[in-house]
Amino acid sequence: MKYLFLTGFIFLSLCSLNAQSDFRNGYIINKNNDTIHGLIDYKGNKASARICSYRKDVNAETITFTPDEIKGYRFIDSKYYISMLVNNGTEKKQIFIEYLINGIVDIYYYRDDHGEHYLIDDGNNKLYELKNEEKEVMVNGTRYMKESKEYIGLLKAVFKDSPSTNKKVENINLNHKSLITITNDYHNEVCIDKECIIYEKKLPKINNTYGLVIGLNGMSFSGTDEFNDKYYYMRNSDFGFEIFPSIGLFYKVNMPFVNERLYFQYEGTYSRVTLTTFNTYIEPAYNMNVYNDITLIQNAFNNLVVIKYESPKGKIRPTFQIGGFANFFIKAEYNRNQEVKYSWGETYYTNQTKENPFAKNELGINCGIGLKSIYHKGKELYLDLRYQRGIGILQGMKTNTVSLNLGFQIGK
């Protein structure tokens, strides 16, 4: 049952991801330099370098263009890609590279399987890559990894006509914001007859939301035959599949500096679950039957953190998440009743203990899929289906939890 659920879970997750598209207003530039307006699929950096998916309108068929078929494409008031032959150090290939800034000096960007690449045109139609490779160095017999920061020397050479810009170069990082800012400053200082154009998209504002979340959870244990001698009485225990509710609050914030579709989400919830098991085994040395009746009641404060991917459009938007959790058992009631009987049925010994062998906290990982919608005055409503795998609740025992969670945004 568990493996069937996991297979279906992974299948649905992949389907929901593969089905995502985000068509935005834009245009393509064909080989004749004609500008053809329509809708273009807004993809991640790697995919954007390989293909351009275009539609004439919402109902039209999608046409896929490669860098060999068109000169470029652009989203209205946003990112601009041009087709260019680049050398990544191992091969030359025609790709779409993002045009970050167009001035007396131009900056380009693309991402491939080897990582991120920034290119600079020094104004003489010569293209150079800005590099910052990690290199191994020896200091007092100890090996360290050190950034080469080759890009600083190259930028100083390109910005040689501006001493003030050269000073700033020492302190910049190799990223969109730093390169655009310093290139724009250089352009405004040395060029008075040409406007500098910045194509890079402005990132959305940081949005914080919070609300109420309620859940229905089903938990089972696995690995219950792997106990050492200390917990011998737990062997072959079957705690079954227990269903219990949870309630709490969530907090969510977008991550535009990483990806416009990614969010960080925290949930803090309270739950109470009662777990029971009964097992028996034969003590062969004394020809006796041993019976164990165990009950565990846990009151838990559950902490969940996930990175959540959300489809950017549609009334109902598919989501995918992955993260971890830390559950703290703020109160636990444990009771173990043991009875030992002779083979003919007479009771030899009984005992009761309340000493709890289970841990006071539990860590684990989780993944999930879900749906998001808007329910009132722009507030969001989400429904998530999650699987959680916990470790450390007891030596030889792991928890498996399936949960259905409904969240209501209250404010932001």
Side-chain angles (χ1 to χ4, degrees):
M1 180 67 182
K2 180 179 72 175
Y3 297 108
L4 179 61
F5 170 79
L6 287 174
T7 302
F9 191 92
I10 294 170
F11 174 76
L12 290 174
S13 300
L14 293 175
C15 287
S16 66
L17 286 178
N18 290 333
Q20 299 308 304
S21 60
D22 182 12
F23 281 89
R24 304 184 183 185
N25 291 325
Y27 56 82
I28 62 172
I29 305 169
N30 65 18
K31 291 292 188 179
N32 297 322
N33 285 322
D34 297 323
T35 300
I36 305 172
H37 287 264
L39 301 172
I40 300 172
D41 193 7
Y42 193 91
K43 300 178 182 292
N45 291 326
K46 289 176 66 174
S48 295
R50 296 192 302 266
I51 60 172
C52 167
S53 298
Y54 167 84
R55 288 179 183 173
K56 185 177 180 181
D57 53 51
V58 176
N59 300 316
E61 183 181 353
T62 300
I63 303 173
T64 299
F65 294 102
T66 67
D68 295 313
E69 295 173 318
I70 59 174
K71 286 191 172 183
Y73 63 94
R74 186 182 181 187
F75 298 94
I76 300 301
D77 297 325
S78 184
K79 294 187 175 185
Y80 179 25
Y81 293 87
I82 61 173
S83 176
M84 185 177 291
L85 183 66
V86 299
N87 187 346
N88 65 4
T90 58
E91 61 176 340
K92 290 185 177 180
K93 56 182 179 180
Q94 194 81 20
I95 62 171
F96 292 119
I97 64 174
E98 185 181 350
Y99 207 156
L100 296 184
I101 184 167
N102 177 3
I104 193 170
V105 170
D106 298 338
I107 302 289
Y108 305 94
Y109 166 84
Y110 73 94
R111 184 174 182 175
D112 61 11
D113 294 334
H114 302 285
E116 294 185 309
H117 304 268
Y118 288 94
L119 308 174
I120 186 169
D121 184 331
D122 64 358
N124 298 312
N125 295 321
K126 293 182 179 179
L127 205 62
Y128 304 94
E129 182 170 357
L130 299 168
K131 296 182 178 181
N132 187 24
E133 299 172 343
E134 283 196 343
K135 294 184 177 180
E136 190 178 85
V137 296
M138 293 288 293
V139 179
N140 297 326
T142 304
R143 297 178 185 272
Y144 295 93
M145 297 303 294
K146 183 179 180 181
E147 293 181 338
S148 64
K149 294 193 174 183
E150 297 174 51
Y151 67 93
I152 291 179
L154 181 55
L155 288 174
K156 283 186 173 182
V158 173
F159 298 145
K160 61 182 182 299
D161 294 333
S162 171
S164 62
T165 304
N166 257 262
K167 290 181 180 180
K168 296 177 185 177
V169 168
E170 290 284 355
N171 300 314
I172 74 163
N173 297 315
L174 193 60
N175 57 45
H176 281 39
K177 183 178 180 180
S178 295
L179 291 174
I180 289 173
T181 299
I182 199 166
T183 304
N184 189 47
D185 290 346
Y186 175 73
H187 178 95
N188 293 334
E189 184 174 341
V190 303
C191 183
I192 59 174
D193 58 356
K194 178 184 176 183
E195 181 183 359
C196 189
I197 303 173
I198 298 175
Y199 297 114
E200 205 265 344
K201 176 180 172 59
K202 292 183 179 180
L203 294 176
K205 294 181 179 179
I206 301 294
N207 291 320
N208 302 276
T209 61
Y210 61 90
L212 176 70
V213 57
I214 56 176
L216 186 64
N217 313 273
M219 185 170 70
S220 66
F221 289 107
S222 62
T224 53
D225 58 349
E226 302 172 3
F227 298 105
N228 59 27
D229 292 340
K230 183 178 180 180
Y231 304 113
Y232 68 95
Y233 55 89
M234 285 284 188
R235 291 172 185 164
N236 301 315
S237 294
D238 183 7
F239 284 88
F241 186 76
E242 297 296 328
I243 297 176
F244 59 97
S246 59
I247 186 169
L249 299 173
F250 77 87
Y251 166 77
K252 190 174 79 169
V253 60
N254 60 331
M255 304 169 64
F257 49 89
V258 178
N259 188 294
E260 293 178 45
R261 305 175 190 178
L262 290 182
Y263 297 80
F264 169 85
Q265 183 165 316
Y266 165 80
E267 290 181 10
T269 59
Y270 169 81
S271 64
R272 176 184 171 91
V273 59
T274 300
L275 303 162
T276 61
T277 185
F278 179 82
N279 65 61
T280 180
Y281 60 90
I282 298 174
E283 181 58 62
Y286 302 99
N287 196 24
M288 292 181 177
N289 296 320
V290 182
Y291 303 89
N292 286 292
D293 190 355
I294 299 172
T295 300
L296 175 66
I297 303 174
Q298 290 179 324
N299 297 267
F301 182 70
N302 313 294
N303 297 274
L304 174 83
V305 291
V306 297
I307 300 298
K308 201 169 190 178
Y309 172 94
E310 296 184 358
S311 174
K313 290 186 177 182
K315 292 183 179 180
I316 299 178
R317 307 176 186 180
T319 67
F320 174 81
Q321 61 186 264
I322 188 167
F325 69 88
N327 296 339
F328 297 94
F329 306 116
I330 52 182
K331 182 180 179 182
E333 299 174 26
Y334 175 83
N335 188 67
R336 174 187 168 213
N337 290 313
Q338 185 183 55
E339 185 177 14
V340 182
K341 290 184 176 183
Y342 292 107
S343 59
W344 55 86
E346 181 181 348
T347 298
Y348 167 74
Y349 170 79
T350 62
N351 182 51
Q352 183 183 57
T353 179
K354 295 183 179 296
E355 185 178 349
N356 187 3
F358 289 86
K360 295 181 178 180
N361 56 71
E362 181 189 25
L363 305 177
I365 59 174
N366 79 87
C367 59
I369 56 176
L371 298 172
K372 171 189 168 182
S373 186
I374 305 300
Y375 74 97
H376 179 65
K377 294 183 179 180
K379 289 184 170 58
E380 70 178 51
L381 171 74
Y382 71 82
L383 182 68
D384 288 339
L385 176 64
R386 300 192 187 115
Y387 168 72
Q388 294 187 171
R389 176 75 163 180
I391 56 175
I393 194 170
L394 185 66
Q395 182 273 328
M397 181 177 285
K398 300 177 178 63
T399 60
N400 303 280
T401 305
V402 181
S403 61
L404 191 63
N405 304 277
L406 184 63
F408 306 86
Q409 180 184 340
I410 298 173
K412 58 181 175 180

